[in-house]
Amino acid sequence: MSFPRYVRSRSDKQLRYKSAAHLTSDCVPEGDTADHAPIVPCGLVAWSLFNDTYTVRVNGVVTQVNKKDIAWKSDKNNKFGKNIYPSNFQKGRLIGGATLNESIPLSEQEDLIVWMRTAALPTFRKLYGRIEKDINANDNVTVVIQNNYNTYSFGGSKALVLSTASWIGGKNNFIGIAYLTIGGLCLSLAMGFLVLYMVKRRYVS
């Protein structure tokens, strides 16, 4: 299956409006259950929801991973309805990734909200949670991983990244290099146009 088809396999109106639960035509091939009842949320993006779990220990003590406020507020408030609840999710012929709590509205299921913001590149990061306890340089950090998410069938890979986030976000070398490259290119073009303008002006005068 191609990546564009995967990204399109969703219904944004269904995520936002209760009256749009039946709008599953864009969610092919994961739209209806066997009894033709609509799946909420439908589509391959939601169906493939990440379901690995992690237990973190610092110096042998289990440390809580906070999974609140990991999604963008704009997504929570504007893209996912507060009165939309999961229905028939992961109850079709094929089971994808994680399940959803049908008693919690989509606007509060932040794992889903983070996952539904699809990445543009094949290598990407998704925020799993925050460790709100200081970890010192000499601390012993142990992570027990429950490996549920199947990436082997399509030759994919997974990695766990522990990163210190500041008010401007976490470390991302690619973004920094991309900004510097584009900035340098723009500066070079600007200097080139300036030189051409000065040369042309001198020639005309």
Side-chain angles (χ1 to χ4, degrees), residues 150-158:
N150 182 11
T151 60
Y152 313 110
S153 60
F154 54 87
S157 61
K158 299 178 290 184

Side-chain angles (χ1 to χ4, degrees), residues 186-201:
C186 292
L187 180 60
S188 300
L189 290 174
M191 294 297 293
F193 284 125
L194 180 62
V195 171
L196 288 175
Y197 172 77
M198 295 299 294
V199 170
K200 184 177 180 180
R201 183 179 180 183

Side-chain angles (χ1 to χ4, degrees), residues 8 12 16 34 37 47 52-53 58 60-62 64 68 87 98 100-101 110 124 141 148-149 174 176 197 203:
R8 291 194 302 267
D12 291 326
R16 182 66 179 142
W47 174 80
D52 279 4
T53 59
V58 179
V61 179
V62 175
Q64 184 68 29
K68 292 290 185 180
S87 176
L100 296 173
N101 189 333
E110 298 199 42
F124 58 89
V141 180
N148 301 316
Y149 200 76
F174 173 79
Y197 172 77
Y203 177 76

Side-chain angles (χ1 to χ4, degrees), residues 83-99:
N83 61 343
I84 313 299
Y85 293 82
S87 176
N88 297 317
F89 188 69
Q90 301 291 20
K91 294 180 181 179
R93 290 176 295 176
L94 295 176
I95 303 300
T99 58

Side-chain angles (χ1 to χ4, degrees), residues 10-56:
R10 59 188 293 164
S11 174
D12 291 326
K13 288 185 178 180
Q14 185 200 58
L15 299 173
R16 182 66 179 142
Y17 305 107
K18 192 173 184 178
S19 60
H22 64 286
L23 299 179
T24 60
S25 59
D26 293 335
C27 294
V28 176
E30 191 61 29
D32 293 337
T33 59
D35 57 358
H36 302 289
I39 296 173
V40 182
C42 67
L44 289 173
V45 182
W47 174 80
S48 61
L49 178 61
F50 189 74
N51 62 344
D52 279 4
T53 59
Y54 307 102
T55 301
V56 180

Side-chain angles (χ1 to χ4, degrees), residues 77-123:
N77 297 332
N78 302 321
K79 294 185 177 181
F80 294 81
K82 296 181 180 179
N83 61 343
I84 313 299
Y85 293 82
S87 176
N88 297 317
F89 188 69
Q90 301 291 20
K91 294 180 181 179
R93 290 176 295 176
L94 295 176
I95 303 300
T99 58
L100 296 173
N101 189 333
E102 295 189 355
S103 64
I104 300 177
L106 295 184
S107 61
E108 296 181 15
Q109 309 228 25
E110 298 199 42
D111 285 337
L112 173 70
I113 297 173
V114 171
W115 185 256
M116 292 293 285
R117 177 170 283 278
T118 53
L121 300 175
T123 301

